[in-house]
Amino acid sequence: MLQLGQALAKHERPPPRPTLMQAFTSFVLDKQENDHLAVEDSQIGLLLTTFRYLQDTREESGALGLSVGELVNTMSLLTGPAVRRATETANTLAFARLLFEEVNRGEDMVGEFRRQGLNALIEILASKKKPEDARDLLKEHWQEDPSSIDQKQWTNVLLGFAKVDNQEQMIRTIETMEHYNVPFDSLTHQYIVEFYISNRNVVMAKTWYNYGVANGLKPTQRTIRRVLGLCIYNNELEWGEPLLRTLVDSESSNISDSKAYWKLVLQWAAAKGKSVEELDRLLNVMVQKTQEQGLPVQPDIGMINSLISFAASKNDPYTAERYLTMGRNWELEPDSKTLLLQLEYRVGSGDLDGAKAAYDELKGRELETGAALKFINRLIVALCNQKPTRYGIIMELVNDLSEHKARLSPDTVSALGLLHLQRGEYHDLIDLLHSHAYHFEASKRISICNDLLRYCFDPFTLTARVWDAYNIIRKTFREMDLQTRTKMMLVFFERGRSDMATHCFGHIRHLDMPGIKPTIETYVLVFEGIAKAEDPESLALVHNMLKLDATIEPDTRLYNALMLAYLECDDARQSLLFWDDVIHSREGPTYSSIQIALRACEKAPFGERQARDLWSRLKRFDIRVTKEIYAAYVGALAGQSLFDECVELIDSAEKEAGLTPDVLMLATFHNSLPAVKQEAMRIWASKTYPAVWADVQKLNKKTKTTPSGRILHVGGTVYNLGLKLRA
């Protein structure tokens, strides 16, 4: 299916249709058998692409090639826990609608298949933020035949509105249920309250609990216990006191000998601030009471776990360890849940040695559960961030997870990836990314990519390592956006490696990803970088790419960048050829255009002719002359050895442009002159403008050279003005 997506993007021959059908059905069956592994958004996208292709390439008879049973089976996958964890909804919704349409047109469709498909579609719509559509579909078919829909779909619709936080529509849905004689019962009430509790929304959990009670519902024991747990963990003890009394006074459920009740009482006492010793005495009292009633109940490790869980939620590892000791005093040995809680709070408190000890005890018992994996992943991340890094322990944990075919979290992949980069283990990084990165949804992949790029953006990373890391990242994360790729290109320019930066640009230019193509801004940045690096070879390469790029319509800024690049690469004649393009462009020349053109006139053969023509245009059109433009014109004439004319220009600066001769003007005059005339200029300046010339002499000096390193004019020097021309 991945090959199909690539083939369609590149307009190449796709895999054979039977192969795609086999891949489609095999993937669905595998995910249903391993529903603890999430179906990522990218995988749903591949399924959708494959299904659309199968629809577009039907057999001559019009048959899709997949049975209605297989289609319904696929819809069941979309309602399962593997897909429920996916965050992107558009692909899932589109896929579900297409599947249901195909189910309805199937010749071998029977009532049960249609019923399963309809229920699956309603559930998917409700769970993927389309509860209005789900309710409309539910009402339509409920009116026709209530037996065609499971009554639980009304609950799913209510939960769908809860997910999008639309209380008004929840009330309307309940009114609609009453219209169709569908009761809003205690079980539906329980599901809604539990939903808000699971999402840690205390206010709405209380609101909907009170709503049910106000409408005459008797909450289930499970609802009351879950609400009490909410009160314990969120310091809502005052509101929960009446509920606790209700539970204690219940006559119908023998709650006094329920271990779930014991856990609640112990947690409630802990939340009230009771010490470990007081809880130990309370446990003794409760045991004696059950013995007196003839229903002896002994505490179990689950009760201790409930206390440890509460302490962990309060980030109190010390008290959690004391609860563990209390359990041992009752001869209660830690179980997998205890070890998992230990792993959680020890990682959270930074006790990585203690967390590793808990993991060693846990190993082999609990690795297949999602909760264990979450905290083992956190432990790996914490160990990766610890200095000095304990590489052996980290890889032991990773290998254990690999043996259990467990999937690493995005944060773990990022941390391990950075570790491999820092150690120069590029093959291990490639294996890691190929094993895990392709399973994550787009946002998680972007997060991993950005984390790895931090290594490349670090100025202390060796350039060779940055290059190796960049190549691995760009090949793995082809969806890396233009802005990030451009930033990577600029990093190499800043490191003085214009050849690598040009390759980065080439990768953007030849990428076949929609929406990731070089823009005018990208071309401007690469030409500016080449100008700074004075790299004529890279300039020729990128300019040829521009000539072949039919998507780019050059504007003034791009022509400016070309002028600047050729100027700095010691080809002033070619630079000036773009001046005509600037003049005839839609935007016309900018001040940057004029300044760059005058700089080119300074170095081009007979450049004074074009400089004078440009200057006359400025005068003719009464364009305001800035000090940078005036200095550039002086430099253009000085570069052609027109000493006297430059002196006249400087002396008449105030009259001509309202400017006073300054450091920029005199230094530009000096820098642009051939070496044989610089001494005469220095004598003239020191006599005519002694104060300004004294400031010029404070600037740093260097020998005049070409991009190839050849010294210009023996003995020639230039003062460093720190000017940076930009397009």
Side-chain angles (χ1 to χ4, degrees), residues 469-486:
Y470 158 72
N471 277 294
I472 294 171
I473 293 168
R474 75 173 177 86
K475 291 175 183 177
T476 306
F477 303 97
R478 297 181 71 251
E479 69 273 26
M480 186 166 51
D481 62 28
L482 177 62
Q483 182 180 2
T484 305
R485 291 173 182 272
T486 304

Side-chain angles (χ1 to χ4, degrees), residues 161-178:
F161 282 116
K163 285 183 179 180
V164 297
D165 196 27
N166 193 330
Q167 308 302 311
E168 180 183 350
Q169 292 301 325
M170 290 179 73
I171 301 297
R172 286 191 181 183
T173 302
I174 293 173
E175 292 171 353
T176 303
M177 291 167 62
E178 293 172 352

